Amino acid sequence: MAAPAIPLGEEKAIFRVCPVTRLRVDLAAERMIIANATAAVIFLLVGGVMGLLLALTRWEAVHLLPATWYYRLVTGHGFNMLVAWIVFFEVAGLYFGSTVLLNARLASPWAARLAFALMLLGALLVNGIVLAGRADVMFTAYVPLKAHPLFYLGVILFAVGALIAVALFFVNLLIARLEGRYTGSVPLVVFGLATAAIIATYTLLSGAIAFIPAFFWSLGWLRTYDPGFYRNLFWGFGHPAQQINLAAMVAVWYALAAITVGATPINEKLCRLAFVLYILFINLGAAHHLLVDPGLSFAWKMFNTSYAMYLAVLGSLIHAFSIPAAVEVALRRQGYRRGLFEWLRRAPWQEPGFAALVVSMVLFGWLGGVSGVIIGTEQLNMQFHNTLAVPGHFHATVVGGTTLAFMGLTYYLIPLIFRRELRLKRLASYQPYVFGFGMLLLILGFLLSGTLGVPRRDWAVFKTPAAFSTLIPESAQFTLAIAGLGGVIASIGGAMFLLVVLSSVLTGAVQEARSLRLVVASPADPPEAAETAHEEPRGTFVIALAFLAFFILVYFRNWWLLGLRSWLVH
């Protein structure tokens, strides 16, 4: 069903009305959401294959790739998974949030097409030049490692396209307000996406300041490029890029909680405050990559890894309590009130979005969040800097957290936006658990290997004449095997996701969405008295106490290890 908009100026837009959500969907916005989501899934496939090959190489009993191809795929895997897959999906999310959720139109379809074209061209350039063997510089591309100029040009084009998409997001919000599509504040999910867009603006500009001189240097227009200057600017891009993912992921968590159990936050103002804390303080976490750099003062390192950064951690703790508390209250209002955890036992565990929500939050918070605070502490960082524990941390946050959350949301975009029937529903129900279990093993394998001193990016640890190989205990063979096995299982989970998505989009029946839930029947509406009844999230409070106990135990265990470690100083 389509209806004409009431446009501003000469712009025209055609809408359809979703029969489930009753939201008006601008067809131009829908096309751009589909285009960006499709590109995201394609680059997820490419990066996932590279990741499987890398996991089978770090598993030294297999040791699949030669050194040249190992470092080549480290570069490609980092770009495709940390940048291409996630940013394409986030752009689709920005368009969805600023148009569909606000019943608004896409302000400039041609600008959206330009942004997509630049991002796609940039991503193809980077992948082409990496696979051609002209950019074996890894994801960070630290100077003085020099890639072909097209590598830097590809990154710059991708960043410019993403900046255009971010700017269009803000224009969409302005046009929606001027046309009366919403009053007051935007919905919480859109507020979270706006947080991601604000962080993205700073991040992409910082990346431009780092990569444009590197592009000139690769062309020979600059004779030298200071490595310390580049590293500082790069991590103003590289780590905050993951904070964009954090804000977008949390917004997706709120959306999945609402879709799967009808959850609404207990205190929405507090949730918005937590997003504001991200805007003000989250980028300080990037300092942990620079804690061993001699050019930065102790005062700078201490400030960035302590007092101000704790406020960003506070924001995450607020969300970590708010979302499960909202889920608990919603399920208690549906009648699951007995004891502390009946609501948890009776939750829709077969619903792929709910499974993705829970597994994503566990991997992100219990492993990624805790390890992030440890790595962000200056003294403890000395144990883990440049070890495999660092990839263990960001695989917990970006893959176990963000990627799995985005996978969960994708299942609902297929009927709501692609207007296709979701196929292989049973496979979709199991996919978050298979992917999550694989990531759990990989993350634990990486973290434990890093604790044993296994270096971060080395092609071989025990099959090398390097001096450090004699300092690493043989038990690291076992932890690397755990990581390799986890990579294989996670790849199976990723293949399950791709199979469900591709079969649904390519062969699913063309039809409008019929319900929000995909597998489990939607619950009956609770009585009006239940909707307004006061329910206390007692179970969530117990889970929060367990998390804090776990955090304290792991945190102080690492201080204990710091005191026991034998430091070889010559």
Side-chain angles (χ1 to χ4, degrees):
M1 182 167 58
I6 304 174
L8 193 71
E10 297 299 321
E11 293 288 342
K12 303 292 182 183
I14 301 298
F15 292 87
R16 67 176 179 87
V17 177
C18 175
V20 174
T21 64
R22 308 309 301 169
L23 293 171
R24 289 151 49 90
V25 182
D26 178 5
L27 297 185
E30 181 179 74
R31 287 190 290 271
M32 295 315 304
I33 293 168
I34 291 173
N36 281 277
T38 301
V41 171
I42 291 171
F43 285 106
L44 173 66
L45 170 61
V46 175
V49 171
M50 292 179 174
L52 174 61
L53 297 176
L54 292 173
L56 292 175
T57 303
R58 290 310 299 258
W59 186 353
E60 296 217 352
V62 180
H63 210 57
L64 181 66
L65 297 174
T68 299
W69 273 99
Y70 169 77
Y71 291 108
R72 190 163 297 163
L73 294 191
V74 167
T75 308
H77 174 68
F79 177 82
N80 285 306
M81 300 301 276
L82 292 173
V83 178
W85 139 248
I86 283 183
V87 175
F88 269 116
F89 195 92
E90 286 167 347
V91 169
L94 292 179
Y95 294 153
F96 181 81
S98 61
T99 61
V100 177
L101 293 183
L102 299 180
N103 289 303
R105 63 182 173 87
L106 185 66
S108 178
W110 70 265
R113 290 192 290 270
L114 175 62
F116 177 77
L118 289 173
M119 291 171 62
L120 183 61
L121 176 61
L124 292 175
L125 273 178
V126 171
N127 275 279
I129 210 69
V130 166
L131 292 176
R134 306 296 299 276
D136 297 338
V137 293
M138 297 178 286
F139 173 69
T140 49
Y142 283 150
V143 175
L145 295 176
K146 184 184 290 187
H148 190 279
L150 288 180
F151 173 82
Y152 302 103
L153 180 61
V155 173
I156 293 167
L157 289 175
F158 189 94
V160 170
L163 266 175
I164 292 172
V166 169
L168 183 56
F169 169 79
F170 289 117
V171 173
N172 289 342
L173 294 185
L174 176 61
I175 295 297
R177 170 57 70 96
L178 293 176
E179 295 184 349
R181 299 303 183 191
Y182 71 94
T183 58
S185 182
V186 295
L188 181 61
V189 171
V190 182
F191 193 89
L193 293 173
T195 299
I198 292 170
I199 299 173
T201 303
Y202 159 84
T203 300
L204 293 169
L205 290 175
S206 182
I209 298 172
F211 276 95
I212 290 175
F215 175 54
F216 294 157
W217 171 65
S218 69
L219 289 169
W221 297 354
L222 291 178
R223 291 180 57 191
T224 61
Y225 192 13
D226 182 75
F229 181 77
Y230 172 85
R231 279 173 59 85
N232 202 333
L233 286 171
F234 175 84
W235 286 115
F237 157 77
H239 198 273
Q242 312 322 314
Q243 314 305 354
I244 304 169
N245 305 337
L246 168 62
M249 174 192 68
V250 173
V252 169
W253 283 349
Y254 282 111
L256 289 175
I259 290 170
T260 57
V261 299
T264 57
I266 297 173
N267 189 330
E268 189 169 313
K269 291 182 179 178
L270 187 62
C271 300
R272 292 175 187 267
L273 173 63
F275 279 120
V276 173
L277 291 176
Y278 283 166
I279 294 172
L280 297 176
F281 302 109
I282 195 69
N283 282 345
L284 299 180
H288 81 75
H289 293 281
L290 305 171
L291 290 180
V292 299
D293 286 27
L296 300 170
S297 69
F298 172 74
W300 183 91
K301 295 175 182 178
M302 181 184 69
F303 178 81
N304 280 276
T305 58
S306 58
Y307 307 107
M309 193 186 76
Y310 296 156
L311 294 173
V313 175
L314 174 62
S316 290
L317 291 176
I318 291 172
H319 292 307
F321 183 82
S322 174
I323 296 171
V327 170
E328 178 178 356
V329 168
L331 289 170
R332 285 184 179 276
R333 286 175 175 168
Q334 293 171 23
Y336 307 129
R337 297 187 177 89
R338 287 182 293 183
L340 285 175
F341 296 116
E342 186 195 14
W343 63 275
L344 195 58
R345 294 193 303 272
R346 302 293 295 274
W349 292 103
Q350 291 182 311
E351 187 69 18
F354 186 80
L357 168 66
V358 175
V359 177
S360 170
M361 290 193 70
V362 170
L363 292 177
F364 181 92
W366 290 68
L367 295 179
V370 172
S371 63
V373 173
I374 292 170
I375 292 173
T377 302
E378 183 172 11
Q379 296 91 331
L380 297 179
N381 181 271
M382 298 302 104
Q383 300 185 89
F384 301 111
H385 185 82
N386 249 4
T387 71
L388 203 56
V390 176
H393 158 68
F394 64 68
H395 276 79
T397 56
V398 180
V399 188
T402 304
T403 291
L404 186 51
F406 287 2
M407 286 176 171
L409 184 63
T410 301
Y411 292 130
Y412 299 88
L413 293 179
I414 289 172
L416 292 173
I417 297 298
F418 284 78
R419 287 184 278 174
R420 296 277 182 169
E421 177 191 13
L422 185 73
R423 293 175 55 83
L424 305 175
K425 291 183 176 66
R426 183 175 293 275
L427 198 65
S429 295
Y430 290 116
Q431 183 271 328
Y433 301 112
V434 175
F435 185 81
F437 179 66
M439 288 311 305
L440 174 65
L441 293 180
L442 183 137
I443 294 160
L444 290 176
F446 278 5
L447 291 174
L448 293 172
S449 298
T451 302
L452 296 172
V454 174
R456 175 177 178 178
R457 291 164 163 167
D458 285 62
W459 167 69
V461 177
F462 296 100
K463 300 179 180 180
T464 175
F468 67 72
S469 63
T470 61
L471 305 176
I472 299 171
E474 282 293 324
S475 56
Q477 294 270 24
F478 177 67
T479 58
L480 289 171
I482 292 174
L485 178 62
V488 172
I489 296 173
S491 297
I492 294 172
M496 292 168 65
F497 169 76
L498 291 168
L499 181 60
V500 172
V501 170
L502 293 177
S503 64
S504 300
V505 171
L506 298 178
T507 67
V510 179
Q511 63 183 37
E512 294 284 355
R514 296 176 179 176
S515 67
L516 275 179
R517 285 190 179 180
L518 301 172
V519 176
V520 180
S522 298
D525 292 333
E528 186 176 347
E531 289 186 355
T532 58
H534 177 69
E535 297 286 354
E536 293 183 351
R538 294 176 287 128
T540 301
F541 183 71
V542 172
I543 294 172
L545 291 178
F547 170 78
L548 291 175
F550 172 79
F551 170 76
I552 292 170
L553 177 65
V554 174
Y555 188 75
F556 284 101
R557 171 187 173 274
N558 282 279
W559 280 102
W560 178 68
L561 287 175
L562 182 66
L564 288 179
R565 188 176 293 275
S566 298
W567 295 97
L568 300 178
V569 180
H570 301 286

